[in-house]
Amino acid sequence: MTITSRPDADQGTFERLAVRGGSYVAGQWLTSSEEPLLAVHDPADGQLVTELPSAGAALTTAAVEAAAAAYPAWSALSAAERGVPLRRAHELLVERADELALVMTREQGKPLAEARSEVLWGAEYLLWYAEEIRRSQGVTVPGDGPGQRIEVRRRPRGVVACITPWNFPSAMLLRKLAPALAAGNTVVAKPAEQTPLSAIKIFEVLEDAGLPAGVANLVCGDPVVVGDALCGAPQVRHISFTGSTEVGRMLLARGAAQLKKVTVELGGVAPFIVFADADLELAVERLMAAKYANAGQSCVAPNRLLVQDEAAAEFTERLCARVSSLQVGRGTNEGTDVGPLIESAAVDKVRRHLADALAGGGRVLAGGTPPAGLDEGRFFTPTVVTDVARDALVLREETFGPLLPLEQFTDEPAALAAANASDSGLGAYVFTRDLGRTHRVAEALEYGMVAVNDASFGYVQAPFGGIKHSGDGREGGQDGLREYQDLQYLNINF
Ligand code: ADP
C-alpha cells in the first residue's frame, strides 16, 4: 500500500512512502484492520506522516501461532542454511540504507547521517550472527563410568517476542532479530508505536531475502494490547525487551508468573569522568558524540559529567565552545547536528530537569536559551549546567535529552563514589592517560560497560548490557547469542 506523506514546509513535498502493510504475519502483509489506525508523526513538526492498520490481540495471537508453526522446520535447518537469508538481508539493508535512513528520520527525527549509520550498524548484526552460529559449540564432559559421556549442547528456545524502543528503531530490532533467528528461534517483533516504519522496512527486507513465512512476524499496535497478548501466549518462551525501567519491571513480573525467560535492557545514568591527566581535546570530542548524537536520547548518553578540579577550567572552555557550535534543526536538513526530541513530553522532561537544576543553585555554562527559529515544544538547545545541587533530578534520573550537568571532583575515590552512587549500572566513561588508574577505576565502577578514552559501546562483537537497575542479559557478541539458546545435556551410556 502507498501511504502519502504530508507536505513539509522547509523541504517541499516528501516522496510518497510506500510500505507493504502495517504488520507481517505468516508471510502476509496486513493492509486493513478492525483496530484503530496507528498514526505516525514527524517529531520535527508533529505532522502526520502516515496512518497504519494496527494489530490487536487477535492478530498478535495469529503471529505467535505462525511463529510456533514455523519453528520446527526453521530450527531443524543447519546453521549454514539459516545463515543464507540472514546474509542476504544484510546485503539488502546495505543497498537500501539511504531509503531506510530517510524513513527513520521522518518518524524519529535524528539527522540523516546518523540514521544511515544506524541502519548499517544494525545490518552488521545479521552478518555477524549468521557466521557466529556456525561456531556455537557445546562441550563433552567425562562421565563417571567407562561407557558414560556427558554431552552439553546449545539449542534454540522456541518463539521469542522482541519488544523494541523508538530511540534506535532499526539497530535495537536487528540486535535482537539477528541472534534470535540465527540460533534457530522464530520471532514475533513489536516495535515502538512512535517508529513502526523502520521495523516495517526491515521486515520487507527479510521477506525479499527469502526468510521462510512465519519465521519472523511483525505486529504494530497498541503496546498494552499487543504486550498482553504476547505475555499471555504460552508458546512465547522468551521476551527480549529494550525500553523503560517501568515497562521492563512489569514484563519481568509477568514473565516470572508464567516462567518465561525475560531479558531486559533498561535505562542508565551514565557518568563521564575526566581526570586531569587526560587528553582533554579527545575527551571533548568523544563527549560530543556520546551526549549529543540522537539528541541525547540514548541509554548510554552521559548523564553526569565529572571533571577533576585541575582540568575543569580548560575542559569547560573547550566544551562550551563545541556545544555552542552545534546546529539544531530538522534531521533532514544538511548540517543538522541535533534534531528534535521524539515528542513534546520528552522536551518537558528535559525542561523540568533544567528548571530543577537552576532552582537548586545551578548555573548555565552553555545553551539554556530556546532554540532560535524552532518550535521549543519539540527542540531543545544543547545545554551545559554546573553548580547543581547533589539531589538535583538531572543527577539522579535519566534525562534522555541534550542537557548535561558538569560537576568537579578532587581525586579518584571522590570520582568513584559519585559515579557509583546510582541504582543504574549500564555504561560509564573514563578519560585518563594513566594505565594503572585505568584498571583501578574501570574495575571499581559498578557498571556493565566502561569505555576508556572512547565513547561508544555498540559493537556487534561485544556484550552490551547493564547491571543493577539497568537490566539483565546481554546483546551482541557470543553472550548475546547465548541469551537465545537453552542448554541440554545428554547422559550417554554405551
Ligand atoms: P519509552 O518510555 O522510552 O517510550 P517504553 O518502555 O514505554 O519506553 O517503550 C519501549 C517499548 O515497550 C515500546 O515498544 C513500547 O511500545 C513497549 N511497551 C510499552 N508499554 C508496554 C506494555 N504494557 N506491554 C508491552 N510493551 C510495552
Side-chain angles (χ1 to χ4, degrees):
M1 70 195 212
T2 300
I3 292 173
T4 311
S5 286
R6 296 292 163 90
D8 178 272
D10 298 338
Q11 296 279 306
T13 306
F14 278 95
E15 302 239 319
R16 279 169 167 252
L17 201 60
V19 295
R20 291 181 198 164
S23 296
Y24 183 65
V25 174
Q28 303 290 320
W29 288 96
L30 172 79
T31 53
S32 68
S33 158
E34 305 285 292
E35 303 292 327
L37 290 173
L38 179 63
V40 182
H41 295 101
D42 184 336
D45 56 17
Q47 294 273 349
L48 188 69
V49 175
T50 70
E51 286 181 307
L52 295 166
S54 80
L59 196 73
T60 306
T61 302
V64 172
E65 283 166 2
Y71 177 70
W74 178 249
S75 56
L77 292 179
S78 69
E81 287 169 324
R82 285 200 298 273
V84 173
L86 300 183
R87 276 195 293 274
R88 179 70 189 130
H90 166 263
E91 281 171 13
L92 290 174
L93 281 170
V94 173
E95 276 171 26
R96 298 179 194 177
D98 287 335
E99 180 200 347
L100 267 72
L102 183 56
V103 168
M104 194 193 302
T105 295
R106 296 250 39 221
E107 67 177 353
Q108 202 274 350
K110 70 180 65 181
L112 266 178
E114 284 182 30
R116 191 169 191 283
S117 331
E118 184 188 328
V119 172
L120 298 178
W121 167 41
E124 245 193 285
Y125 287 97
L126 290 165
L127 191 59
W128 200 84
Y129 280 114
E131 290 302 323
E132 188 59 17
I133 189 61
R134 301 181 71 184
R135 293 184 280 264
S136 170
Q137 297 170 7
V139 291
T140 305
V141 183
D144 281 348
Q148 188 194 25
R149 299 285 181 281
I150 292 174
E151 215 176 281
V152 185
R153 59 188 292 269
R154 295 180 185 281
R155 45 177 294 160
R157 183 164 292 129
V159 178
V160 178
C162 301
I163 303 180
T164 53
W166 50 261
N167 61 341
F168 294 96
S170 202
M172 295 303 98
L173 178 58
L174 288 162
R175 189 157 81 174
K176 295 185 192 303
L177 284 177
L181 295 174
N185 302 285
T186 54
V187 164
V188 178
K190 194 211 85 60
E193 54 279 17
Q194 296 90 338
T195 55
L197 300 174
S198 294
I200 289 173
K201 286 287 165 192
I202 287 171
F203 272 74
E204 290 180 2
V205 162
L206 293 175
E207 181 182 35
D208 293 347
L211 195 74
V215 168
N217 305 273
L218 175 70
V219 280
C220 301
D222 180 84
V224 175
V225 174
V226 174
D228 281 354
L230 290 173
C231 288
Q235 303 98 319
V236 172
R237 299 302 323 138
H238 178 171
I239 299 174
S240 174
F241 170 79
T242 300
S244 64
T245 304
E246 182 195 1
V247 175
R249 207 187 283 271
M250 183 275 290
L251 292 172
L252 279 165
R254 295 191 67 179
Q258 304 209 14
L259 299 174
K260 292 187 198 309
K261 182 180 173 88
V262 181
T263 44
V264 292
E265 202 266 275
L266 309 173
V269 183
F272 191 101
I273 308 169
V274 182
F275 285 97
D277 65 48
D279 176 339
L280 299 185
E281 188 52 38
L282 176 77
V284 169
E285 191 65 42
R286 296 287 193 265
L287 175 60
M288 299 308 290
K291 178 65 190 179
Y292 296 104
N294 208 12
Q297 301 170 112
S298 159
C299 51
V300 287
N303 212 88
R304 300 180 65 174
L305 173 57
L306 296 153
V307 184
Q308 197 164 18
D309 288 335
E310 298 87 311
E314 185 187 342
F315 186 85
T316 303
E317 192 179 325
R318 287 174 187 261
L319 174 66
C320 291
R322 290 296 305 277
V323 170
S324 307
S325 74
L326 289 171
Q327 293 293 316
V328 184
R330 248 180 199 289
T332 45
N333 288 355
E334 190 91 15
T336 291
D337 298 305
V338 178
L341 300 196
I342 189 72
E343 54 204 3
S344 55
V347 181
D348 290 344
K349 181 176 185 187
V350 186
R351 281 191 179 156
R352 203 163 57 243
H353 279 198
L354 177 59
D356 172 76
L358 299 182
R363 50 190 182 91
V364 170
L365 291 173
T369 50
L374 293 165
D375 182 345
E376 57 182 295
R378 304 185 180 280
F379 294 85
F380 191 90
T381 306
T383 298
V384 182
V385 288
T386 193
D387 295 339
V388 170
R390 273 172 182 264
D391 62 348
L393 291 175
V394 74
L395 301 184
R396 290 187 288 118
E397 290 181 7
E398 188 174 41
T399 304
F400 234 58
L403 168 66
L404 189 58
L406 186 153
E407 301 162 81
Q408 289 184 215
F409 66 88
T410 48
D411 55 14
E412 243 177 70
L416 276 171
N420 284 337
S422 171
D423 286 334
S424 301
L426 191 59
Y429 306 85
V430 179
F431 282 75
T432 178
R433 285 193 174 99
D434 181 330
L435 188 57
R437 168 176 282 157
T438 294
H439 288 289
R440 274 193 312 276
V441 172
E443 289 169 15
L445 281 167
E446 294 162 8
Y447 287 79
M449 302 176 289
V450 180
V452 180
N453 298 335
D454 207 340
S456 66
F457 293 113
Y459 296 97
V460 290
Q461 68 274 35
F464 188 104
I467 59 175
K468 294 159 82 178
H469 287 194
S470 290
D472 185 23
R474 293 293 181 272
E475 297 195 301
Q478 289 182 344
D479 299 285
L481 183 62
R482 289 177 185 161
E483 298 288 352
Y484 296 100
Q485 295 176 308
D486 280 333
L487 288 180
Q488 180 185 46
Y489 99 72
L490 312 178
N491 170 5
I492 300 173
N493 266 284
F494 277 100

